[in-house]
Amino acid sequence: MTVRRLLALPLLGALLAGCGIRATEVPTDFGAAPSRVPCSLAGPDGATQSSRGVPVQVFLLCGASLVAVDRAVRVPEGTPDARRRVIVAQGLLDQLAASPSAAERSAGYTTYVPGGLGVSGPGPKDPEDTLRLSTAPSRLTSYALAQLVCTLSDSAATEDDGSVILGGPGPGPLRRYECTDDVRDHPGTAQPPSGGVTGG
């Protein structure tokens, strides 16, 4: 019995030592690191952006407000201004509908603009800076409309006066929409101010 007790002592000691907390290399996931700042992105690579086309900005949703992020749109050299406006507008719509990058998603960015949304220039009786969407603006969600209005009104697709004239397909009515601080801060509840537009 004495020999058995002596042999059991080292085993008991090893078991007791194993009760402590040991370091582990198994990854654990307890959420984002505290140092991560929501809606904070590293600066874009300017050379890469410019090589992809004309530098532009689009508004994505992050933390319940709209935040501008850098993008690029390809525009062929020598494109007439009227055609250039539509190309830029379509490029902006495509960028808004695209899924944010992995880094943007990690920082909390998202978009509500649906895919497949098209844009064309003015109809025969529309003002020259009109943009007609393939879906009527009134059919878009408040978030999607806010993203579109704020992105387009601050781009080469419009007259650079902080507003954009939008309509749906066909000869339907037009409205001039504005992007305000309230819309950028509360896109889910603050509708972009708008007013009716007569033909040009």
Side-chain angles (χ1 to χ4, degrees):
M1 291 294 293
T2 304
V3 174
R4 289 182 180 177
R5 288 177 182 172
L6 290 175
L7 291 174
L9 285 175
L11 181 59
L12 182 61
L15 289 173
L16 290 174
C19 293
I21 298 176
R22 294 181 179 181
T24 178
E25 294 185 9
V26 178
T28 56
D29 185 6
F30 294 107
S35 60
R36 179 177 290 166
V37 180
C39 305
S40 177
L41 290 170
D45 183 346
T48 302
Q49 289 284 341
S50 61
S51 67
R52 293 176 182 170
V54 179
V56 294
Q57 285 191 322
V58 299
F59 281 87
L60 300 181
L61 187 73
C62 190
S65 62
L66 296 182
V67 181
V69 296
D70 294 319
R71 290 288 190 270
V73 173
R74 289 190 177 278
V75 180
E77 290 286 340
T79 303
D81 286 346
R83 180 62 184 154
R84 178 186 177 90
R85 183 180 298 130
V86 176
I87 291 175
V88 170
Q90 185 63 65
L92 291 170
L93 264 61
D94 293 343
Q95 293 287 350
L96 284 170
S99 177
S101 68
E104 289 166 346
R105 291 196 302 272
S106 296
Y109 287 81
T110 188
T111 183
Y112 282 81
V113 176
L117 192 61
V119 62
S120 60
K125 297 182 180 180
D126 296 342
E128 64 177 11
D129 56 341
T130 297
L131 294 173
R132 285 195 172 273
L133 305 176
S134 57
T135 297
S138 60
R139 297 177 63 87
L140 299 172
T141 67
S142 58
Y143 288 113
L145 182 59
Q147 284 184 258
L148 283 174
V149 168
C150 288
T151 296
L152 293 172
S153 65
D154 189 33
S155 74
T158 59
E159 295 299 318
D160 196 28
D161 62 353
S163 69
V164 58
I165 299 176
L166 295 177
L174 300 172
R175 297 192 72 81
R176 182 182 292 276
Y177 296 87
E178 295 180 35
C179 177
T180 63
D181 290 340
D182 197 29
V183 172
R184 284 189 290 267
D185 292 341
H186 308 286
T189 56
Q191 290 287 327
S194 67
V197 177
T198 56

